[in-house]
Amino acid sequence: MAIWQPDPSFYPSPRMAAKAPKEMLAYVAAFDPDRKKPDAIAVVDVNPGSSTYSRIVGQVEMPNVGDELHHFGWNACSSCLCPNAPHPHMERRYLVVPGLRSSRLYIMDTKPDPKNPTIVKVIEPGEIAEKAGYSRLHTVHCGPEGIYVNALGDAEGKAPGGIFLVDPDSFDVLGRWEMDRGPQKLAYDFWWHLGYDTMVTSEWGTPDTFENGLVPEVLLGSKYGRKLHFWDLHKRKHLQEIDLGPEYQLVFELRPAHDPTKAYGFVGCVISLKDLSASIWTWYRDGDKWAVKKIIEIPAEPADPDLLPPVLKGFKAVAPLVTDIDLSMDDRFLYVSCWGTGDMIQYDVSDPFNPKETGRVRIGGIVSRASHAKAQNGALNGGPQMVEISRDGKRVYFTNSLYGAIDPQFYPEGIDGWMVKLDVGENGGIKFDEDFFVDWPKGRRPHQVRLEGGDCSSDSYCYP
């Protein structure tokens, strides 16, 4: 929807976005792992001065069951100010919410009452399959040409997965993004370098290899995703593939530098088949090609097999399982979620090739079950998973559930949901906000977090 003035939550540069007003609300996707009742988008009060701070103050339930809501985003963001595809009078108003299992796409209006969004359109899987040829919707980003949605399977749930475009005004499905996909078959995350007209995509697997949980034979056979793909963003053409190697499995979350003059970014690899370690890699421009370098390795921790789930007993160790990462707006701090051990680690990546650990907290974890000051039971399960950072970099929010079919493989007793917040020191360092703990209502588990007005993984910028 067009407005007379540019949306005040749009900023031409990340430097200006870092000065944005503080968020007052967080939107959180919550799903029923048993697929017996509808998933929901919950609204959490994150205003410390409010009497309902750290509480769910609104919620909208989906009209269907079994969606498994996943990585949702906004209809429009700061990329609307880019000179190559300007549409500055769009409004950041609608949440675009994908169902990973259902392949359904919901459009939710956050106005006039941001605490009570309403569903204004439902795009059914049949329409997406017909117009774009995809299913199993995973991630939503707003970009220069509209709303980009990626999918992990084709219309039949097989390879290749890919990306399609949705009109940001009418919400019509426009069609498949790729003109020439080259060797790319598997999909997971996607982001871009607007200053270099480059898209980057990562890999997981086809739906039959994860919808009922991770398949040990596929994992040990190095058949999950392990590659990065680089594309010409304007021509929608595959340019380059980089294989991290058969040891590295599940190459997941992508976080490019926010500064559009910087040609680098970070990707997390969930697990090494060699020693169960997790790793962080930097991709960068090397002459006229892209290259990658492993910059962080997080080792597995020895553990009593009696305390481990069946999938890990034989290894006698807890895998870190890095399942999400996020980068602060000034490109200084990288946050790494270790869903297995329960650690959230902060690294100073001012030099993207020489990171330095500057903070670490532990909560949950397969073995440690570390607690929180406001938790009731003293032994939390799940671990740091989906992480989101405020635009000024001073607050970090995260939840503890990965995926309905995978959660019980590592937490067999089931996950009790929670959401927490960290406060960030001026020069690094992180600590829990002891007043912020959302003990998630039973029956649903929290996943993706989006902050009111934008956050560190919602927008892209064309000016430094």
Side-chain angles (χ1 to χ4, degrees), residues 36-151:
K36 293 180 179 177
K37 64 181 179 181
D39 297 347
I41 294 292
V43 186
V44 176
D45 187 338
V46 296
N47 175 12
S50 170
S51 61
T52 53
Y53 181 57
S54 183
R55 292 191 209 163
I56 296 173
V57 293
Q59 182 168 279
V60 55
E61 292 192 351
M62 302 303 106
N64 301 283
V65 173
D67 288 307
E68 184 118 8
L69 300 184
H70 219 62
H71 299 175
F72 64 106
W74 294 100
N75 67 304
C77 65
S78 298
S79 63
C80 290
L81 303 179
C82 287
N84 60 315
H87 41 292
H89 301 293
M90 293 294 296
E91 186 177 15
R92 189 198 306 264
R93 172 171 177 170
Y94 299 94
L95 292 171
V96 183
V97 185
L100 178 51
R101 185 172 283 269
S102 69
S103 307
R104 194 174 279 116
L105 197 62
Y106 295 99
I107 311 299
M108 297 176 53
D109 190 353
T110 64
K111 290 187 176 182
D113 181 0
K115 292 182 180 179
N116 292 286
T118 56
I119 298 171
V120 295
K121 185 170 183 176
V122 180
I123 306 173
E124 294 293 343
E127 179 179 352
I128 294 167
E130 178 188 358
K131 293 182 177 179
Y134 286 129
S135 67
R136 283 32 172 236
L137 314 185
H138 186 271
T139 295
V140 173
H141 286 310
C142 38
E145 295 175 294
I147 300 166
Y148 295 68
V149 185
N150 80 329

Side-chain angles (χ1 to χ4, degrees), residues 260-293:
T261 68
K262 297 176 180 177
Y264 70 82
F266 305 94
V267 61
C269 177
V270 176
I271 197 163
S272 162
L273 298 180
K274 178 182 175 183
D275 54 14
L276 298 188
S277 64
S279 52
I280 306 295
W281 302 64
T282 298
W283 75 77
Y284 60 98
R285 196 72 180 158
D286 183 15
D288 61 353
K289 293 285 187 180
W290 294 92
V292 297
K293 178 184 178 182

Side-chain angles (χ1 to χ4, degrees), residues 193 195-196 256-265 290 330-332 350:
H193 290 285
Y196 291 81
H258 293 92
D259 183 336
T261 68
K262 297 176 180 177
Y264 70 82
W290 294 92
D330 58 4
D331 296 329
R332 180 178 180 187
S350 301

